[in-house]
Amino acid sequence: MIGDDRVEWLTSATPVPYGGAVAAMERRVAEIHAGRAAQAVWLLEHPSLYTAGTSARAEDLLDGGRFPVFASGRGGQYTYHGPGQRVAYVMLDLKRRGSDVRAFVGHLEDWLIATLARFAVTGERRQGRVGIWVARADKPAREDKIAAIGLRIRHWVSFHGVSINVAPDLEHFAGIVPCGVAEHGVTSLSDLGCAATLADVDGALKETFQAVFGLSIHEVGAWR
């Protein structure tokens, strides 16, 4: 049985097809629940695609022919994934964290906010809106989403996770109403004038994860 609090840290160097990623997560969740595998964080990119969460509304898919659309078991509505966006799939045993989903989501938000702060970007929560938002000084009265959260819990093990827009093509978000919010926009580190690379963001995610979650990381390398 693997029952300690170490977290395997995995990174995929090339875009991972969505269906394969979900299948791999589901296998890992079952293994964590059975005590046969360590908890894990998996960093990756996907090819350009849209996913529909369990609360997705059909009218929010504005251009379903632009990219493949995948039904997802995670919470939330429509979102875009693609090159230049860092996705972090988080597979943690929440029974070891008090079985408190609300607190876990708060820690994910703290993690994203701390990561963005490493690049002098102030990410903020907003009541009634999921994800992390940036107030645009250059666009008065406008707030843009820079990071998303979408989770599923099975046997008290989390999967799916978070994403940060590093330097994706923001025009690709035009095919959906992102997360059901039409009155605000979407931004990225690049759009905000930050030249951070995916590798830079990966380093910040790793350092802030340890600080926020208080868990030790075991660098594994590629997903296996």
Side-chain angles (χ1 to χ4, degrees):
M1 298 284 288
I2 298 177
D4 61 23
D5 275 339
R6 68 187 175 98
V7 175
E8 290 191 346
W9 196 265
L10 307 111
T11 305
S12 291
T14 57
V16 179
Y18 187 76
V22 172
M25 281 193 288
E26 289 180 338
R27 289 192 298 271
R28 186 60 174 255
V29 165
E31 291 171 352
I32 293 170
H33 174 63
R36 295 193 302 268
Q39 302 173 97
V41 173
W42 183 14
L43 305 183
L44 70 153
E45 292 174 284
H46 286 304
S48 290
L49 56 91
Y50 297 130
T51 64
T54 54
S55 301
R57 301 172 298 195
E59 62 268 27
D60 287 345
L61 180 60
L62 305 178
D63 184 1
R66 182 182 294 213
F67 299 122
V69 181
F70 294 87
S72 173
R74 62 161 176 79
Q77 302 186 42
Y78 279 102
T79 194
Y80 165 78
H81 292 310
Q85 181 192 72
R86 176 51 84 213
V87 175
Y89 287 139
V90 183
M91 290 155 274
L92 298 184
D93 185 348
L94 300 189
K95 288 184 292 185
R96 305 182 199 179
R97 308 189 67 79
S99 300
D100 189 333
V101 176
R102 186 181 297 274
F104 178 57
V105 172
H107 285 138
L108 292 174
E109 293 170 337
D110 290 341
W111 182 32
L112 292 168
I113 290 168
T115 298
L116 292 168
R118 297 294 181 95
F119 304 99
V121 171
T122 301
E124 299 175 331
R125 298 173 172 87
R126 286 293 180 265
Q127 185 68 33
R129 284 189 253 141
V130 179
I132 301 301
W133 299 79
V134 175
R136 299 297 299 261
D138 57 332
K139 300 174 182 177
R142 174 171 156 179
E143 296 177 339
D144 289 345
K145 190 171 190 175
I146 193 168
I149 299 173
L151 289 176
R152 187 169 182 180
I153 310 295
R154 181 180 294 165
H155 303 305
W156 286 107
V157 180
S158 67
F159 59 122
H160 297 276
V162 304
S163 62
I164 295 179
N165 295 331
V166 181
D169 184 340
L170 295 179
E171 197 275 331
H172 291 336
F173 286 89
I176 56 172
V177 177
C179 299
V181 180
E183 61 271 28
H184 296 285
V186 179
T187 191
S188 66
L189 289 174
S190 177
D191 184 50
L192 295 173
C194 175
T197 65
L198 286 174
D200 294 332
V201 172
D202 290 352
L205 283 167
K206 185 176 179 180
E207 292 174 3
T208 55
F209 179 88
Q210 293 179 102
V212 170
F213 287 91
L215 297 171
S216 60
I217 286 174
H218 173 53
E219 187 82 46
V220 175
W223 180 269
R224 57 180 182 2

